Amino acid sequence: MTKCRFDDHAPDGPVLTPYDDDHLSDYLRLLDAEEEGSDWRETVVALFKIDPTAEPARAERMHASHLARARWMTEVGYAHLLGHRDALKR
């Protein structure tokens, strides 16, 4: 699977998307960074390759949007992922 570039906004719908599937490991990186207490600006540089000084609004939006989606994945999305994977096995 080829990793696509990041959209400025992560999906926010109630179902898993191909974008989510492409970025599962990135969502985990975001959650890990938050758990470790990393500065969101450092995370943006490392993950999205965006300079938060040059593009502060965009960087903050991207971080917030993708972190929200990462949290959704831990609360709801994982069930869709498991169901999707089970359906593929049949």
Side-chain angles (χ1 to χ4, degrees):
M1 177 181 315
T2 303
K3 176 131 346 189
C4 63
R5 70 171 196 78
F6 290 96
D7 291 344
D8 281 4
H9 292 89
D12 63 358
V15 297
L16 226 79
T17 69
Y19 185 89
D20 293 319
D21 199 40
D22 285 345
H23 292 284
L24 289 173
S25 63
D26 301 313
Y27 293 156
L28 292 174
R29 288 179 65 193
L30 279 166
L31 292 168
D32 286 345
E34 181 183 47
E35 176 79 18
E36 294 167 2
S38 298
D39 185 307
W40 71 269
R41 290 170 287 258
E42 292 174 9
T43 304
V44 166
V45 171
L47 188 60
F48 302 129
K49 309 297 186 229
I50 293 175
D51 179 354
T53 304
E55 299 182 86
R58 179 176 179 232
E60 191 169 5
R61 271 194 317 272
M62 284 183 73
H63 181 266
S65 166
H66 286 81
L67 182 57
R69 192 60 171 187
R71 289 179 182 144
W72 176 84
M73 288 294 296
T74 67
E75 298 165 2
V76 177
Y78 77 92
H80 295 280
L81 183 63
L82 292 175
H84 175 71
R85 299 277 189 237
D86 289 344
L88 290 175
K89 292 178 184 176
R90 293 183 198 151

